[in-house]
Amino acid sequence: MSDVIRLKVKRQDRPDAEPYWEEFALPWKPRHNVVSLLMALRENPVNAKGERVAPVVFEANCMEEVCGSCTMIINGKVKQACSTLIEGLQQPITLEPMTKFPVVRDLLVDRQRMFDALRKVRAWVPIDGAWDIHVHAPRISPREWELNYDFSRCMTCGCCMEACPQYHPGSQFIGPSPLGQAWLFNNHPTGKFSAEDRLHALMGPGGITDCGNAQNCVRACPKEIKLTDAIAKLGRQTTSQMLKDIFSR
Amino acid sequence: MSAPPVDRHFALRKLHSLLGVVPIGAFLAFHLFENSLAHAWHGLSAAEWTEEVVHKIDGMPYIELAEILLIALPILFHGIYGLIIWLEGRANPLRYGYFRNWMYVVQRVAGAIALVFVLTHVWQTRVQVLLGHVTKDELYARMAAVFSSPAQQAWYALGILAAVVHLANGLWLVGITWGLTTAPRSQRIATGLWAAVGVALLVLGTLALTGFQAPLNLAHLALR
Ligand code: SF4
Ligand code: SF4
Ligand code: FES
């Protein structure tokens, strides 16, 4: 085991600045993950040439792979920095910001477009009102519950969006994660009431038809959410919605 | 006027997908089948093939209308709109080298090759008939002449391969986008099924590709 950790970071000083690579060498410590390594670097921001530089900017919060904020490209693959251990990574370790979202600074990106897409597909359950609706939450079978739970673990990290060939700054596509959430709320006993609105949102430009079925998303998702199942089921739901729209109006 | 019942973008994508199956996919299968009959394996001579295939189809009612509405226009729409779809993506198979991600690229490349091939093929055959350079009765000899050039034969082999791969994988995609195969197991089975159909079509294509014999060769065979 070597006693230094060599790091190569793709840095960018401003949203509109040119990116550049900077190398670092940090002392080896057991059980480092990429976030703790970046924290150590923040304490002593000196590059491999011995120059003191601005600390590398990154985002992290939960440190247990549930918030999604630390997502970045590590050695060419998109994943969470907090759950990626340094042991077993090939050196020098390369860190890049995700390419599908605008870079704010260094490894910090703005994932707003993904949150906007969630709003577009109404990824919520419309129950809250100012009155008492006098009924209990509807019953749901354990099997459905389990399936829905799977999708509810999405942390809008953006891995699936990063890997998707159809999703990029120049495309209108809303991307795999919002599709998965649209399916989840269409399968929710109360969410079902607005299923048609969600389907119509998905049947516009940038919607379900813009998926190219490369199926990278399902491979990239750290939560193993069955995104391609949701996409195909939404294909079925939108097909029947189309028939309804044409023949039953 | 009230809004159309289905969003224009959605309708165009669905039309693009549907036309790829019928009539285009169905026509490709039929076309490979009829031309495979030129192979000696089926026991048809040049004259018999011309009678069986060219004359029978030519004698169908409304054939010119069908050629335009069921073949030419659907292929042009499917091809041009397909190129637009290609431009909307950013393929990344080198970073994410999964089989399906490669098929995403293959589908686009094969589609483009097939489109260019179909244009050259129609130019060499149907358009030459329209221009009066060949008669329909001479089509067999025309194909034999085309295939006497190894470069042409290779181009046809590539074109047929591209068209068949694009169709077989396209049918797999249709299973998902229209919502028939919605889980990994059924999608895996569909992969095998459409691959088998693709291989069968390639067999027909190979028969067609090697079937058209130059008249000289035929005469030679007859002499023996
Ligand atoms: S299946 Fe492919 S194109 Fe569709 S959302 Fe997933 S990664 Fe993107
Ligand atoms: S679906 Fe998976 S990869 Fe995509 S944002 Fe949610 S957790 Fe991340
Ligand atoms: S810090 Fe929350 S997922 Fe990594």
Side-chain angles (χ1 to χ4, degrees):
Chain A
M1 212 34 91
S2 67
D3 49 0
V4 290
I5 302 169
R6 289 186 303 128
L7 195 59
K8 252 181 92 178
V9 184
K10 193 175 189 185
R11 308 197 59 175
Q12 186 172 328
D13 294 340
R14 281 184 318 277
D16 55 354
E18 280 299 308
Y20 59 94
W21 287 93
E22 191 153 59
E23 296 194 27
F24 300 92
L26 288 100
W28 165 265
K29 247 178 40 185
R31 288 188 294 281
H32 249 324
N33 61 54
V34 172
V35 170
S36 69
L37 189 69
L38 286 169
M39 285 172 167
L41 178 62
R42 191 160 59 185
E43 284 170 19
N44 185 27
V46 173
N47 69 16
K49 292 186 226 150
E51 303 158 347
R52 211 175 163 79
V53 293
V56 174
V57 174
F58 62 97
E59 195 178 10
N61 193 354
C62 70
M63 293 300 281
E64 54 180 357
E65 205 191 270
V66 290
C67 76
S69 66
C70 65
T71 308
M72 59 183 71
I73 300 175
I74 302 168
N75 282 356
K77 285 267 179 321
V78 66
K79 51 178 92 165
Q80 276 67 52
C82 66
S83 54
T84 303
L85 302 179
I86 296 300
E87 268 157 281
L89 279 186
Q90 207 191 324
Q91 293 200 25
I93 300 162
T94 60
L95 303 181
E96 300 162 71
M98 281 195 278
T99 62
K100 304 291 174 84
F101 303 101
V103 173
V104 177
R105 186 167 180 177
D106 294 340
L107 301 170
L108 175 67
V109 297
D110 180 3
R111 290 173 297 155
Q112 185 60 39
R113 187 175 156 199
M114 194 168 26
F115 306 127
D116 291 342
L118 288 176
R119 189 173 302 153
K120 191 170 171 193
V121 302
R122 297 162 181 263
W124 60 77
V125 171
I127 48 164
D128 290 341
W131 60 91
D132 181 359
I133 52 174
H134 298 297
V135 280
H136 293 295
R139 304 278 302 189
I140 178 168
S141 79
R143 190 181 295 169
E144 289 293 295
W145 173 83
E146 213 175 311
L147 202 57
N148 287 1
Y149 178 70
D150 195 35
F151 282 83
S152 74
R153 294 172 310 138
C154 172
M155 52 187 178
T156 46
C157 65
C159 284
C160 55
M161 317 285 263
E162 176 66 29
C164 173
Q166 290 291 99
Y167 187 82
H168 56 88
S171 79
Q172 284 192 301
F173 186 36
I174 60 169
S177 158
L179 288 175
Q181 294 307 296
W183 180 82
L184 165 65
F185 287 101
N186 272 6
N187 202 42
H188 183 283
T190 316
K192 271 194 177 91
F193 295 141
S194 350
E196 240 178 65
D197 296 336
R198 286 191 201 95
L199 292 179
H200 280 141
L202 291 181
M203 288 162 77
I208 181 85
T209 52
D210 290 17
C211 162
N213 292 293
Q215 303 202 332
N216 285 352
C217 50
V218 73
R219 303 259 196 159
C221 176
K223 297 294 167 191
E224 295 176 5
I225 293 173
K226 299 184 177 76
L227 292 162
T228 48
D229 289 28
I231 288 168
K233 285 175 188 162
L234 287 172
R236 183 181 289 180
Q237 290 180 8
T238 49
T239 298
S240 78
Q241 185 63 42
M242 171 185 70
L243 296 177
K244 251 188 242 164
D245 290 345
I246 295 175
F247 295 110
S248 310
R249 287 210 314 194
Chain B
M1 239 191 80
S2 64
V6 179
D7 178 88
R8 201 174 125 255
H9 180 80
F10 188 81
L12 282 177
R13 292 294 178 116
K14 284 294 178 212
L15 184 66
H16 173 256
S17 160
L18 181 67
L19 290 179
V21 183
V22 274
I24 303 172
F27 175 71
L28 173 62
F30 171 69
H31 193 57
L32 289 175
F33 162 74
E34 55 176 2
N35 285 302
S36 75
L37 298 180
H39 195 273
W41 193 47
H42 296 285
L44 292 190
S45 68
E48 282 166 341
W49 180 85
T50 303
E51 180 55 37
E52 256 316 296
V53 175
V54 181
H55 290 165
K56 268 206 182 143
I57 292 172
D58 205 28
M60 279 175 13
Y62 306 115
I63 184 69
E64 281 89 2
L65 204 61
E67 276 181 316
I68 294 172
L69 292 182
L70 296 182
I71 305 175
L73 289 181
I75 289 180
L76 280 178
F77 172 78
H78 187 86
I80 293 168
Y81 195 67
L83 291 176
I84 294 174
I85 293 179
W86 189 354
L87 293 179
E88 283 175 7
R90 298 282 179 276
N92 54 9
L94 296 181
R95 189 156 261 199
Y96 303 95
Y98 311 124
F99 170 67
R100 273 295 151 205
N101 199 25
W102 272 110
M103 289 313 288
Y104 170 94
V105 179
V106 166
Q107 184 68 4
R108 282 149 180 77
V109 174
I113 294 175
L115 178 63
V116 176
F117 168 70
V118 165
L119 292 177
T120 63
H121 172 54
V122 170
W123 169 257
Q124 285 176 330
T125 52
R126 191 66 184 88
V127 175
Q128 295 308 312
V129 174
L130 273 183
L131 295 176
H133 295 162
V134 266
T135 67
K136 288 189 174 173
D137 283 358
E138 290 162 357
L139 275 176
Y140 187 102
R142 166 93 199 153
M143 288 320 294
V146 166
F147 287 158
S148 63
S149 144
Q152 281 292 329
Q153 208 160 18
W155 173 232
Y156 268 71
L158 179 68
I160 292 171
L161 180 69
V164 168
V165 166
H166 186 78
L167 173 62
N169 191 53
L171 288 165
W172 183 84
L173 290 166
V174 161
I176 294 180
T177 54
W178 292 78
L180 187 66
T181 46
T182 66
R185 190 193 64 98
S186 58
Q187 288 171 10
R188 254 197 318 276
I189 294 173
T191 301
L193 201 77
W194 293 127
V197 169
V199 169
L201 289 177
L202 284 180
V203 170
L204 291 182
T206 310
L207 288 177
L209 198 59
T210 52
F212 293 92
Q213 304 279 339
L216 262 183
N217 293 350
L218 278 185
H220 180 71
L221 278 180
L223 279 179
R224 278 207 299 177

